[in-house]
Each structure stands twice: as structure tokens, then as C-alpha cells.
Amino acid sequence: MFWQKEFETMKRDKLEKLQLKRLKETAALVYNKVPYYKKLFKAKGVTPGHIKTLEDISKLPFTTRDDLQKNYPDKLLTIHHHDTMRLHTSSGTTGKPKAVFFTRKDIDVAANNIARCLTMTGVTKADVLQNMMSYGLFTGGLMMHYGAEKVGALVIPSAIGNTERQLLLMEDFKTTSIHLTPSYALYLSDIFEKKGPAFRKKIKLKRAYMGAEPYTEETKKKIEKILKVKVYNSYGLTEMNGPGVAFECEYQNGMHLWEDSYLMEIVDPKTDRPLPDGETGELILTTLTREGMPIIRYRTRDITAIIPEKCKCGRTHRRIMRIKGRADDMFIMRGVNIYPQQIERVLMSVAHVEKNYQIYLDEGDKIKVKVEITKKLFDGNLEHLKKLQADLTEKLRTEILVRPSVELVEPGSLPISEGKAKRVFDNRKIY
Amino acid sequence: MPILKQLSVFVQNQPGKIERLTSVLAENKINILAFNIASSGEYGVIKIIVDKPELAHKKYKEAGLTAYLSEVLGIVMKDKPGGLNDVAKIIAKNRLNVENAYVYVPKSRKNAMLIIDVRDIKAVKQNLEFEKKLKKR
């Protein structure tokens, strides 16, 4: 099923012509309206006039997470914020977030892309979609809500948590589709298992959309088996409108990325050189229709590859593979983006904690921070150590929104690596 | 009531950790007089009274251990039934805030010593000296 067949199956040459037109417009827009972008363009010695072909995008400057934070709150807008309608921020940091503004048209485009995603996986106006993502600054809740409304499905804005009520709604309103994070889906699976097959029979669930966090094929299979649903992989990020940037179709072999809305590139994250289709590298995205806050060559830091082959579904928009990892050391826990630097900042602020620390991520959304105790900190009192441990735990929880277990270790017991120390040890098997 | 030097060492709760502490002392011919472990599960603090505390402190630091040298009170008690009770009376009477305590019995076995970790050891010591003077008069 198609939401916009003429766009979704547009011939490649026509689609690329449309992309080029939109790229030129976007480049001109940011060059003329956003002083920061003009500066970035000038530093690279380019003007929008240099863009003659799609390949010319590689002449343009990148936009990084730092650029977004530097221009907080609204310095990357092309218009006054009076002319925008919605603000979303990236999840996670309690420092300066990445603020993204949307005009009415921007929201409409984002919702339209989600409508395509839902339609291609079988959702119609006869469906009931229970949106179990948090509503708020996070795009996962509201953007999906708007997309599902566009299709005309009945949307239940249940948000995350309160599982008993979720189950009640699911049963009474005959929910067919759910949108949720993989960690919540795993939790839900446990509940379903406990309730037994008689309970599942009362539930009409057909499909689950999972995104916002990486998860493995094994997790997906487990959830599919227990919930008896088809799980569709969704890729998105707040900087690029949130969910629905790329989505699995019924063939579930990679995610179609909506190329009339985004220009995608894969580059080698070390050399920044463009890589051909099929090769693995960092995904770079440029918004092609965004009015309020267009973003040029955004470094997603997500590692993937473009699938060169045509998809059996007939859509011409190319697919990306499941995200294979990160080009930086960010990790996602319970839908929250966490950078080791945030943890480091807390450790430094609390006391004379050594710069030597390690972060361990374990199955079941567990995070453990090992910290070396310093001579300055130690006064022979066990109670003081316990207090320090409790203090660190609480301060970290406020910063990263997830409660870690803090382990105090002897100085010199954590290996000091040459150059950039390896801080994060991810044992979750999510990629 | 003597004031003794106590070494506190931070250790993770792992096999071989105590041996690491004692081997440093053995190598430097330092004699252990009393030994106590307080643990919170993953880690703990080992308290040691030795005959050469400064040397032990230095050697521990050289070995990369997190050691802390502090003063503790040693209260002599008779090594006989009721001995500890007498000391407990002193502790109560002086309103000592005991953070940690353990017993040390010398070879002679005539007297034992209760080693107590108190907050503000200087004040405690002054009080005790003052009381002694009062008694003498």
C-alpha cells in the first residue's frame, strides 16, 4: 500500500532532479538567512552557486552536534521563532540541548513521511495505533501522533509507562499497532508472558514500530514471538524531524529513507571522504524541504550503508541497513542519548575523582560506572566512601536520567590506554 | 591512654588483596599488632596497627596503595572477664563517638587494648587528661 505512490515510486532521474532543485534552494536559504551558515560556507570557499550536481554537496560544510549546541537556542533559524510552531529538543543532556524548530509546513512534511511509513506497513484509517512513546520535547511521541492522524487511524496517545492501563486500552479499544522503544517492548513482553496465551487472544495487535534506541535482530525476534506481532524498524533523529526518516517496508530488508525530504550520503568518518553505495560509513543527512531550521550535511554519527539494489516493493527511495554502531562514543540507554563526557563532567564536579573511569553497559538497561578512588579523597572512613558513592549515583542520575551503579576501585586498577582511553564497554549486543 | 597511629587502606573486595597488604609489611619487617576489616561488599577499608606506622605508610604509598595515616585512641583493659565492660563505661562517660573499634591483645596477655576510632581525637584526649588530673587531686 502506498500513501503517495507518485512520490514513493518516482523514477530515479526525476527524484534526483527534485533533490537537486531542493538542495539548491536549501543552500541558498541558509546562506542568505543564517549568518552562521554563511560563515561556514565562506570558510570552505563555497557559495550556493557552486552546486551544479548532487555530488557537489561534498563541497558544502558539515553541521555537527557542536554546531547545534553552539547556536542554541535559535541562531540557526531562517525566520523569527514567531513564524515557527513547534520546538523539540534532543533527548538526554541536561546541559544545552539541541533545539529544533518547526514551521507548520515542516510538521506537515514530517507527518506526511510518517504517513508513508505507516501505510507501507499496512496501517489504514481502520487501524488503532497506541503511541507508547513519551510525549514532550522528544519527537518520538508527537511526531508519530501527527503522522498516524494524517493516515486517519485512531490514535491512542497513551505515552510510555503505566503498563496496566496500556493493556486495558489495548484490550478495550482493540489496538492493532503500537509504537514503542525496544526496552519498553521487552518489558511488555515479560508482562504478556506472565499473563499467558488467554490474555493474548483478547488482544488484536498486529504490528509494533520500534525505534529511538538500537536493538538487535534477536531482540526483534523475541518480541515478535512473544507479542505475536510484526516488528518494523524505524530510524529517526530529532535533528531530522524525529521518527520516520527511514522505515522498513513489508519486505523488511533495510529501511527506505525518504529521499525527497533528505539527501543522504555515506562518508568515511575518519577521512570524511564520500563512500559509494554498499559501503559502510557515517550517515550524513541534509534536509531538503525544511523551512524554519534547515540543516546541511548533518553528521548523524550513525554507522550504516546504503543498499544499492532496488526493493521489491517498488519504492525508488534507497534503503539504509540497520544501524551498525556509532562513529562517536555516544550510547543510548532507555531512549536517552548519553555521552561519556556528561559522566566525566559529573565525576569532575563531585570531588577529586580521578579522570580514570569506565562505563559498562549491560543487558537489561544496566549502567555501571567504575571510578578510581584518589588518595586525596580517602580518609580511612568507610562511611565517607559510601556517602561519596551515593552522592555520585544521585548526581549521575540527574545528569543522564538513568540510575547507574557506581563502583569505587583502587587507583591504577583501571588500565590507562594510550591516547584516547576506551571508556565505554557495551555488553548489550544491540548492534 | 595512649594515642596510636593507625593505617587505613582502601581495598577492593577481590582475592589476593589482603596478601598484597601483608606482603609489603613482611618485606619491610614491619610487625602487625592489630588488624581489622570493614567491608561494604564491593570494597572495604582495612585498619592496621603496626610497630612502624610511618614506614608502613611510606611503603604502601610506594606500592601504589591508597593508605591513610591517622591517630586513634588505645584504651588499656584487663584481659579478664569484665575488662571490656570497664572500657565501655569510660566510653559512655566521656561521650566518645566511636566510629570503629577493635581489640589488640599483646603477647604478654596481661592487658588487652581496645583501639577506638573517634571523631576529633584531640578533644577526646584533652578531656581524658583533664579527668585524670581531677582524680589525682
Side-chain angles (χ1 to χ4, degrees):
Chain A
M1 277 199 305
F2 293 92
W3 175 249
Q4 287 178 307
K5 194 168 183 188
E6 73 280 19
F7 279 99
E8 293 173 50
T9 61
M10 191 181 270
K11 292 247 156 42
R12 281 303 300 180
D13 56 344
K14 209 177 155 196
L15 180 58
E16 282 167 18
K17 215 181 264 175
L18 180 65
Q19 284 188 304
L20 183 60
K21 177 178 164 275
R22 289 179 173 176
L23 174 63
K24 285 178 178 172
E25 286 166 2
T26 301
L29 183 61
V30 297
Y31 187 81
N32 294 321
K33 300 285 187 188
V34 185
Y36 186 76
Y37 267 120
K38 189 169 213 160
K39 211 173 78 191
L40 289 184
F41 274 55
K42 282 191 168 163
K44 292 269 281 176
V46 286
T47 65
H50 283 96
I51 303 169
K52 305 279 188 230
T53 68
L54 281 179
E55 286 69 43
D56 289 335
I57 185 139
S58 61
K59 294 174 182 164
L60 300 186
F62 288 112
T63 307
T64 63
R65 178 171 72 97
D66 272 2
D67 291 321
L68 294 194
Q69 285 174 331
K70 248 189 266 170
N71 288 283
Y72 178 88
D74 60 0
K75 288 204 277 294
L76 290 181
L77 290 191
T78 60
I79 46 182
H80 193 276
H81 71 73
H82 289 168
D83 298 316
T84 62
M85 280 185 29
R86 174 98 62 82
L87 171 72
H88 279 293
T89 66
S90 61
S91 55
T93 55
T94 52
K96 294 241 165 112
K98 291 165 271 179
V100 186
F101 292 80
F102 298 85
T103 63
R104 187 184 301 277
K105 190 188 148 211
D106 292 337
I107 293 175
D108 198 57
V109 170
N112 188 64
N113 284 343
I114 293 172
R116 288 180 186 173
C117 300
L118 296 177
T119 307
M120 77 179 170
T121 50
V123 170
T124 68
K125 64 190 288 290
D127 277 282
V128 179
L129 185 134
Q130 197 161 325
N131 194 14
M132 301 158 87
M133 285 277 194
S134 107
Y135 277 65
L137 286 167
F138 174 53
T139 44
L142 278 168
M143 284 302 192
M144 174 56 77
H145 184 105
Y146 275 58
E149 278 190 353
K150 213 171 225 329
V151 175
L154 173 64
V155 187
I156 306 177
S158 61
I160 196 162
N162 199 344
T163 306
E164 277 307 314
R165 194 183 58 185
Q166 300 275 11
L167 298 179
L168 180 90
L169 293 167
M170 222 178 259
E171 188 183 336
D172 292 350
F173 298 98
K174 303 183 173 53
T175 301
T176 60
S177 314
I178 51 177
H179 178 221
L180 73 180
T181 62
S183 39
Y184 194 50
L186 280 171
Y187 177 71
L188 209 59
S189 302
D190 286 347
I191 305 282
F192 267 64
E193 269 193 325
K194 276 183 203 138
K195 297 232 173 202
F199 172 76
R200 179 60 186 89
K201 279 204 182 93
K202 293 192 282 185
I203 301 287
K204 303 281 179 242
L205 272 190
K206 290 181 196 163
R207 51 188 91 84
Y209 300 113
M210 293 206 315
E213 293 164 6
Y215 57 96
T216 55
E217 204 52 40
E218 289 70 46
T219 303
K220 176 179 171 171
K221 279 187 189 130
K222 184 183 169 191
I223 291 165
E224 285 190 325
K225 195 176 154 217
I226 299 170
L227 295 186
K228 295 195 173 67
V229 292
K230 251 210 167 335
V231 169
Y232 294 95
N233 201 355
S234 156
Y235 175 75
L237 58 165
T238 304
E239 300 87 319
M240 297 286 137
N241 303 347
V245 173
F247 222 80
E248 279 181 342
C249 67
E250 73 259 41
Y251 292 99
Q252 298 202 287
N253 185 12
M255 298 174 281
H256 289 280
L257 191 137
W258 302 117
E259 293 190 78
D260 51 344
S261 287
Y262 310 95
L263 189 67
M264 64 168 152
E265 304 165 75
I266 299 288
V267 302
D268 181 323
K270 290 203 178 79
T271 64
D272 296 348
R273 229 170 286 145
L275 294 173
D277 285 8
E279 282 192 32
T280 301
E282 181 182 346
L283 179 66
I284 309 290
L285 293 171
T286 299
T287 63
L288 291 178
T289 59
R290 187 105 53 77
E291 302 179 317
M293 192 176 150
I295 299 178
I296 303 287
R297 302 192 84 199
Y298 187 64
R299 301 205 73 138
T300 67
R301 308 313 265 159
D302 286 323
I303 301 293
T304 182
I306 295 172
I307 301 172
E309 293 82 28
K310 277 185 190 152
C311 183
K312 279 184 262 179
C313 74
R315 285 175 187 81
T316 50
H317 299 244
R318 286 172 299 169
R319 291 160 294 161
I320 55 169
M321 310 230 324
R322 164 187 286 284
I323 302 301
K324 292 174 180 172
R326 292 281 302 177
D328 60 14
D329 46 10
M330 187 198 87
F331 55 92
I332 304 177
M333 177 129 317
R334 293 179 208 171
V336 179
N337 298 346
I338 303 171
Y339 290 89
Q341 297 90 307
Q342 285 175 268
I343 289 174
E344 189 168 318
R345 228 175 19 237
V346 171
L347 298 183
M348 297 298 127
S349 76
V350 164
H352 308 279
V353 176
E354 290 272 359
K355 222 179 154 73
N356 237 6
Y357 64 92
Q358 284 178 343
I359 301 161
Y360 289 84
L361 310 173
D362 293 306
E363 292 289 353
D365 277 336
K366 289 195 186 88
I367 171 164
K368 180 163 71 189
V369 181
K370 283 191 182 181
V371 192
E372 283 189 3
I373 199 86
T374 56
K375 297 194 166 82
K376 268 189 207 154
L377 256 171
F378 184 66
D379 62 359
N381 192 320
L382 187 65
E383 292 309 312
H384 290 174
L385 291 176
K386 282 192 204 156
K387 191 179 171 300
L388 171 74
Q389 204 176 10
D391 242 41
L392 283 173
T393 306
E394 186 47 32
K395 289 216 167 87
L396 283 169
R397 193 195 58 78
T398 325
E399 173 68 29
I400 63 176
L401 312 177
V402 178
R403 189 180 186 81
S405 76
V406 172
E407 206 170 286
L408 302 179
V409 300
E410 290 169 39
S413 63
L414 301 178
I416 302 160
S417 344
E418 298 285 322
K420 199 168 178 275
K422 184 167 168 56
R423 301 289 193 200
V424 184
F425 298 85
D426 200 336
N427 304 318
R428 294 178 297 172
K429 303 186 191 81
I430 44 171
Y431 289 115
Chain B
M1 192 166 309
I3 290 197
L4 307 170
K5 291 266 168 78
Q6 172 189 260
L7 269 172
S8 304
V9 191
F10 175 79
V11 279
Q12 278 169 260
N13 204 345
Q14 282 166 1
K17 289 293 177 186
I18 293 176
E19 197 260 335
R20 197 171 149 217
L21 299 193
T22 50
S23 66
V24 171
L25 300 180
E27 279 160 23
N28 292 284
K29 301 198 163 41
I30 298 167
N31 196 17
I32 300 174
L33 306 177
F35 193 88
N36 170 265
I37 301 176
S39 166
S40 86
E42 304 144 7
Y43 59 84
V45 177
I46 296 185
K47 313 262 182 186
I48 319 173
I49 305 282
V50 294
D51 58 351
K52 295 169 216 155
E54 274 85 10
L55 179 67
H57 188 215
K58 188 169 159 258
K59 293 292 170 193
Y60 275 163
K61 277 207 259 182
E62 283 169 12
L65 290 157
T66 314
Y68 184 80
L69 194 62
S70 62
E71 292 188 321
V72 286
L73 273 180
I75 306 179
V76 179
M77 56 185 185
K78 295 212 170 73
D79 190 14
K80 62 165 199 194
L84 182 58
N85 189 43
D86 291 342
V87 176
K89 276 182 195 159
I90 299 175
I91 291 171
K93 199 176 141 209
N94 289 286
R95 297 181 168 275
L96 296 183
N97 203 339
V98 180
E99 300 206 331
N100 188 29
Y102 49 105
V103 176
Y104 151 51
V105 183
K107 259 193 227 153
S108 63
R109 286 216 54 171
K110 275 183 192 142
N111 292 315
M113 189 175 267
L114 184 73
I115 292 157
I116 56 175
D117 237 341
V118 291
R119 274 178 219 154
D120 197 6
I121 182 150
K122 289 266 150 62
V124 169
K125 200 185 160 198
Q126 274 176 357
N127 286 345
L128 294 172
E129 295 299 326
F130 184 68
E131 282 208 3
K132 243 188 222 168
K133 278 182 198 162
L134 284 179
K135 271 183 193 163
K136 273 180 190 165
R137 278 208 308 189

